[in-house]
Amino acid sequence: MAVELRIPEVGESISEVQIGSWLKSEGERVERDEALVEIESDKATLELPSPVAGRIEKVLKQKGDVVKVGELIAMLVESADGESTVKTAKSADGEKAAPAVPAPARAPAAASALPTPPPAPAPALPSPSAAPPRVMPAAARALAESGLSASSVPATGPGGRLLKEDVLEQLNRRAAAPARESSVPSAAPGKPAGPEEEVVPMSPFRARIAERLKEAQNTAALLTTFNEIDMSGVIALREELREAFQERYGVKLGFMSFFVKAAVDALMHFPMVNAEIRGREIVYKNHYDIGIAVGGGKGLVVPVLRGADRLSFAEIELAIADFAARAKENKLSLEELKGGTFTISNGGVYGSLLSTPIVNPPQSGILGIHAIQKRPVALDDQVAIRPMMYVALTYDHRIVDGRESVTFLRHVKELIERPTRMLLGI
C-alpha cells in the first residue's frame, strides 16, 4: 500500500522548512519510526521518522529544497518485515515454499557413458565489510569531476554513505601532501584540481541566527565591559571535591555551574540586566532562565536552563552535559531553545582569550567567559602567578546603565574568587 510522507507541523509560526540529508535512499528497506530525513527549521534540526515499515518508493524533494508544512516529500510502500527482500512461492496446495536456492551439483553416475562436465564454481559473495559504499548523487558528481574512485574515499555518512563532503576532504588531504603518487589525472597548468567555489543555500537555522544577530545590532545600544577573575579559589575547590562530586552525581564538576550560580545571584541584585524592553515598557523578570550557548551539529545553539535559581550545582552540571550531548546530535527540542532571560557563552572551550558577545534579543545582557591562562599579577605588593580569566558583559545600554553593568560584572568576579560564598548563600 502506498503511503505519503509529508512535512508535519514542527512548531508555532513555522510555515516552511529545508530538506537536510536523506538518511535512506530510494528502494531501501525502512522500519516503522526509523529516521528517514533531516528537516531544518529556523530554530532546530529534526529527524522525520517513517510512519510505516516498508521501503522508499520515490524521493520527491532533495537536500536543500525549501518546502511548506504539509507538502509531500516522498512516497513509501508499506510491507511486512522482509516482504520486499525475500520472494516466496506458493505450492499447489497453497502452502509457501522455501526461497529457491541453487541445488548443489551432483557427481556423475559411475555407469554414465558420457562424463558430465564439472560445474562452474559459484561466485564468492562479498563480505559485508567489503561492500562498496553507497554513493550519494552529489558525491558521484564530485567523484566524476575529480577523477577519484569511490573505494579510495573514506565514507562518513549515515549507514556508510559516501557524501560530497567526504570527496572534498579527500581532495584537500591530497592537495596538502608535499609529494604523492596519485591516480588522479593532473589538472591543466594554472588550474586547481577541484572547484574554486561552492555555492550552497543558507540553512533556515543559520539564516535565523544571522537575522537575530543583525536585529540585536540594529535595535539595541550594545556596549561591553570587561574584568578579569582569579580562578584559584574555584580550581582548588574543584580539585578538593571532584572525585566525591562525580562519584555521587555521575557528572564532573565544571566551571559553568559556578558561573550560572554567580550570574543568577548578580541578576537578583541588578534586575535590569534580567529585564527586557517591549515597545516603550520595561518588563522585569522574576524568574531566572539562563541560556547556555553550546556548539551543535549545525552550529551554535542556546538551550535554556529554566529556573536556574532553584537548581543545585549537580542539577546544573547534569543539565548542561545533557544539552551538549544532544546538541551535537541535533536532538534538542524547540521548547528547550525558547525564552531565556540571560545568556552565558563560554568561548574558552575553543581557546578564546577575549571576546565581545552579542546579546540574544529580547534579552538585555550576555556574559562571556573565556580561557584560563596563568599570568603574573600583583598580590599583596608581590608578583604572583595566578590562573586568570577575562570575562565580558555585553549589555543593552537602553535599559542598563554603565554603573550597573560594571558592578554586575564585579559582583560575579567577587563570587567566583570566593566560591564558598555561593555554597553558603552569602
Side-chain angles (χ1 to χ4, degrees):
M1 183 177 66
V3 178
E4 296 180 338
L5 183 66
R6 295 181 178 272
I7 298 295
E9 296 283 346
V10 293
E12 185 180 355
S13 76
I14 297 178
S15 60
E16 63 182 21
V17 298
Q18 187 177 62
I19 301 296
S21 299
W22 280 94
L23 308 178
K24 293 288 184 177
S25 304
E26 284 188 4
E28 192 170 352
R29 173 77 190 177
V30 298
E31 302 300 331
R32 183 181 179 88
D33 296 328
E34 185 176 8
L36 298 183
V37 60
E38 293 179 342
I39 55 175
E40 302 178 12
S41 73
D42 60 0
K43 296 179 180 177
T45 298
L46 308 171
E47 290 182 348
L48 189 59
S50 174
V52 296
R55 61 182 175 85
I56 300 181
E57 178 71 13
K58 183 69 175 177
V59 172
L60 303 175
K61 299 295 180 180
Q62 303 301 323
K63 181 176 181 179
D65 290 348
V66 176
V67 295
K68 302 284 187 182
V69 169
E71 191 169 345
L72 181 66
I73 63 171
M75 293 297 299
L76 309 177
V77 174
E78 183 177 8
S79 62
D81 291 350
E83 182 180 331
S84 61
T85 55
V86 178
K87 299 295 184 181
T88 59
K90 294 267 187 177
S91 61
D93 58 0
E95 294 184 355
K96 290 184 178 179
V101 295
R106 297 180 179 178
S112 175
L114 296 176
T116 304
L125 295 176
S127 64
S129 60
R134 296 174 182 171
V135 182
M136 305 307 289
R141 291 193 295 270
L143 288 171
E145 294 173 357
S146 64
L148 293 175
S149 63
S151 59
S152 67
V153 180
T156 64
R161 291 171 174 80
L162 184 65
L163 308 178
K164 179 180 179 181
E165 292 81 358
D166 298 331
V167 180
L168 298 178
E169 178 63 24
Q170 182 72 355
L171 288 173
N172 291 336
R173 283 196 293 266
R174 293 197 174 195
R180 64 189 184 278
E181 293 183 3
S182 174
S183 60
V184 182
S186 59
K191 293 185 178 180
E196 294 183 7
E197 295 181 347
E198 181 183 6
V199 179
V200 296
M202 183 179 288
S203 69
F205 184 73
R206 175 55 58 183
R208 182 58 174 163
I209 291 175
E211 177 185 332
R212 287 182 64 80
L213 293 179
K214 191 58 181 173
E215 174 189 343
Q217 288 186 323
N218 291 343
T219 304
L222 299 181
L223 288 178
T224 305
T225 185
F226 303 94
N227 213 317
E228 61 178 349
I229 298 177
D230 184 346
M231 298 294 293
S232 300
V234 169
I235 291 174
L237 188 60
R238 287 178 71 238
E239 289 296 326
E240 178 185 352
L241 303 176
R242 178 188 309 228
E243 292 184 4
F245 188 90
Q246 187 165 0
E247 181 179 349
R248 179 166 183 178
Y249 299 110
V251 67
K252 292 182 179 180
L253 177 59
F255 292 111
M256 186 62 81
S257 55
F258 288 93
F259 279 98
V260 170
K261 284 287 188 180
V264 168
D265 193 274
L267 292 171
M268 291 179 177
H269 284 79
F270 303 95
M272 68 289 299
V273 185
N274 200 50
E276 71 173 77
I277 294 177
R278 293 181 190 169
R280 299 187 63 84
E281 297 178 332
I282 298 176
V283 180
Y284 290 94
K285 311 290 183 63
N286 296 321
H287 56 99
Y288 304 91
D289 299 336
I290 308 300
I292 307 295
V294 295
K298 298 294 182 180
L300 187 71
V301 291
V302 188
V304 177
L305 198 62
R306 304 193 188 279
D309 55 314
R310 302 188 299 272
L311 300 180
S312 66
F313 279 80
E315 289 171 327
I316 293 171
E317 292 291 353
L318 287 167
I320 292 174
D322 176 59
F323 285 157
R326 290 191 292 121
K328 291 179 181 178
E329 300 176 356
N330 301 310
K331 299 293 187 182
L332 292 172
S333 68
L334 295 176
E335 289 301 318
E336 292 174 306
L337 303 174
K338 294 180 180 178
T341 62
F342 185 78
T343 296
I344 301 177
S345 177
N346 184 7
V349 296
Y350 305 109
S352 172
L353 189 61
L354 189 63
S355 67
T356 56
I358 300 179
V359 298
N360 185 17
Q363 298 172 21
S364 298
I366 178 172
L367 177 66
I369 64 179
H370 303 91
I372 300 173
Q373 185 182 60
K374 288 186 176 181
R375 294 196 294 272
V377 296
L379 187 64
D380 296 329
D381 295 331
Q382 299 290 328
V383 176
I385 304 299
R386 286 288 187 272
M388 305 298 294
M389 176 193 287
Y390 289 118
V391 289
L393 176 71
T394 298
Y395 59 97
D396 187 348
H397 207 354
R398 296 178 302 165
I399 185 173
V400 182
D401 292 333
R403 179 183 63 181
E404 281 73 24
S405 66
V406 171
T407 47
F408 176 96
L409 197 56
R410 194 174 66 209
H411 189 85
V412 171
K413 169 186 170 70
E414 291 170 353
L415 290 175
I416 296 296
E417 290 186 339
R418 298 177 61 190
T420 51
R421 291 180 57 185
M422 289 184 284
L423 299 178
L424 298 176
I426 57 175

